[in-house]
Amino acid sequence: MGRVGVDLYPLEVGVSLRQVTAFGKYLGGSPTNVAVAAARLGRRTAVITRTGADPFGRFVHDALREYGVDDRYVTAVPGLPTPVTFCEIRPPEDFPLFFYRWPKAPDLEILPAELDLAAVTGAALLWTTVTGLSDEPSRGAHLTALKARGRAPHTVLDLDYRPMFWPDPRTARRHVREALEHVTVAVGNLDEAEVATGLRDPWEAGRALLDAGVELAIVKRGSAGVLGMTAGEAVEVPPVDVEVVNGLGAGDAFGGALCHALLAGWPLERTLRFANAAGAIVAGRLACAPAMPTLDEIETVVTRGSARGLPPDPGNVIQGDAPHGQAGRGDAGHA
């Protein structure tokens, strides 16, 4: 439930947007990409969101159907354009994003009264993001959905903090804490965990998330790996070796794999290794949605501990003249 749009990613690495001459057009928006990633792993998924009544909005429907994601809860908002997002590809760690969501993104016009609460409460897993809490009526719709579930497993809040959508971190923290009372799983990178809790140490932030009421807290730490905590267990897993192409979809791949593992009832360590591998695979590819890995690809990376050597996604990456990263430690969560 939440953000959707169209990603226009340059097909040239290490080149400023001022100089890029070729772009690829892809389905985008973090929770939408998570739904695609989970569908790629064989799960039945749907997304609750809104688009503009325009060609890009129709592209969103076409793409969702192509990826096997149910689009029945995707509706149009007349008068608002479907958002587009540009980025620059500067591996291994620099991928600046430029969001065009004016005058307002349609996905922030999700209305509480229009929610299919039977579908919300009947789902085995609900995935929400902090961006959906950034404005009304989306905030009210998200809280309505979360409260309707009554903290049923699995109710997930992706800490997905994007500073351009908020007046300041303090405001975001207030709304995140309200949502945390209604979820069973919280997941985010260290920066996002700090916004949610006010704490920079990953262990302290994880404990604060548990104290807020969640049953599972996951803090992604880039080159330091991933930390997962429950009331009775704490697990750290190392990063996966990968040559980074574009880190922006890694967190969404991690999320889709996390959904699969939670629904499968796997132990925490297996869950984290599986999700971490999925994120690393997508960090080594250009696009987000079309780059989401298959079950076999993820299991291969889990077994050998490296995402190098896997086939790239279909995007044709043109190497620019600017220097770019060669080898890095995959961040399955900075996206």
Side-chain angles (χ1 to χ4, degrees), residues 36 63 105 244 251 259 305:
V36 170
V244 176
C259 291

Side-chain angles (χ1 to χ4, degrees), residues 50-315:
R50 307 196 75 184
T51 70
D54 54 22
F56 278 149
R58 292 188 285 276
F59 165 77
V60 167
H61 283 275
D62 292 343
L64 288 171
R65 293 168 187 157
E66 179 182 347
Y67 293 128
V69 178
D70 194 329
D71 67 338
R72 76 178 77 180
Y73 309 113
V74 181
T75 58
V77 182
L80 291 179
T82 302
V84 296
T85 303
F86 292 87
C87 80
E88 291 182 351
I89 308 294
R90 299 200 295 253
E93 295 184 355
D94 191 13
F95 305 98
L97 280 169
F98 302 90
F99 291 96
Y100 290 79
R101 292 168 60 86
W102 299 295
K104 184 179 184 181
D107 55 56
L108 292 175
E109 286 292 310
I110 301 173
L111 302 173
E114 294 184 354
L115 291 175
D116 184 337
L117 290 181
V120 167
T121 58
L125 185 149
L126 175 69
W127 185 280
T128 62
T129 77
V130 163
T131 297
L133 304 174
S134 64
D135 203 352
E136 294 288 3
S138 173
R139 182 186 306 132
H142 277 67
L143 291 173
T144 296
L146 293 174
K147 291 175 182 178
R149 286 182 64 83
R151 298 190 73 251
H154 303 278
T155 305
V156 184
L157 180 64
D158 181 349
L159 300 178
D160 179 46
Y161 174 73
R162 307 283 183 170
M164 66 285 293
F165 300 155
W166 293 91
D168 53 70
R170 186 185 301 271
T171 302
R173 184 174 302 133
R174 183 173 72 252
H175 292 299
V176 170
R177 286 180 173 174
E178 182 181 7
L180 285 173
E181 298 175 5
H182 306 288
V183 304
T184 60
V185 180
V187 54
N189 64 37
L190 185 55
D191 291 338
E192 295 164 342
E194 182 180 13
V195 170
T197 66
L199 300 169
R200 185 68 185 175
D201 180 84
W203 288 84
E204 292 180 358
R207 283 190 286 267
L209 291 169
L210 295 177
D211 290 343
V214 307
E215 297 171 6
L216 171 61
I218 297 175
V219 181
K220 299 175 285 187
R221 299 180 293 161
S223 60
V226 181
L227 169 66
M229 302 176 70
T230 68
E233 184 181 18
V235 173
E236 290 182 284
V237 300
V240 175
D241 186 52
V242 61
E243 184 173 351
V244 176
V245 174
N246 182 2
L248 293 176
D252 303 335
F254 185 105
L258 175 61
C259 291
H260 180 74
L262 290 172
L263 293 169
W266 290 350
L268 182 55
E269 181 173 355
R270 182 181 181 189
T271 294
L272 297 181
R273 290 185 182 277
F274 184 82
N276 210 26
I281 291 169
V282 174
R285 296 173 172 176
L286 172 66
C288 292
M292 294 304 169
T294 65
L295 184 61
D296 287 344
E297 287 177 319
I298 299 173
E299 294 291 5
T300 296
V301 171
V302 170
T303 299
R304 71 187 193 188
S306 172
R308 292 174 181 269
L310 289 181
D313 67 83

Side-chain angles (χ1 to χ4, degrees), residues 22-40:
F23 293 86
K25 175 167 61 72
Y26 309 103
L27 181 67
S30 181
T32 302
N33 286 334
V34 170
V36 170
R40 186 69 56 86

Side-chain angles (χ1 to χ4, degrees), residues 302-330:
V302 170
T303 299
R304 71 187 193 188
S306 172
R308 292 174 181 269
L310 289 181
D313 67 83
N316 294 315
V317 181
I318 303 170
Q319 303 295 341
D321 293 331
H324 61 279
Q326 295 299 315
R329 304 299 291 179

